[in-house]
Amino acid sequence: MTASPVRGLLLGMVITAVIQSSGATTVMAVGFVNSGLMELHQAIGVIMGANIGTTVTGLAALAFRP
């Protein structure tokens, strides 16, 4: 699912939105690189997406606040 940087970025955003933690997403990506399941260039896109996902989730929470 991380064949291209854009797909990795989108995946990072989705995972972060679902689990509400960019730190956990980053730790998972680094763990996958360390175990050989993912390459570094793939993890970079996921980590960037995690950071963007945190920002988007926070902005969405502010936008739908009563």
Side-chain angles (χ1 to χ4, degrees):
M1 294 182 72
T2 58
S4 71
V6 174
R7 288 177 67 182
L9 188 120
L10 293 173
L11 180 69
M13 288 175 63
V14 169
I15 291 172
T16 301
V18 170
I19 65 174
Q20 295 288 309
S21 175
S22 63
T25 304
T26 300
V27 167
M28 287 190 302
V30 170
F32 291 155
V33 170
N34 193 32
S35 67
L37 295 174
M38 191 183 247
E39 293 186 19
L40 182 61
H41 67 90
Q42 295 170 315
I44 290 171
V46 173
I47 292 169
M48 289 179 66
N51 292 329
I52 294 169
T54 298
T55 303
V56 170
T57 303
L59 291 174
L62 286 175
F64 296 109
R65 194 173 87 180

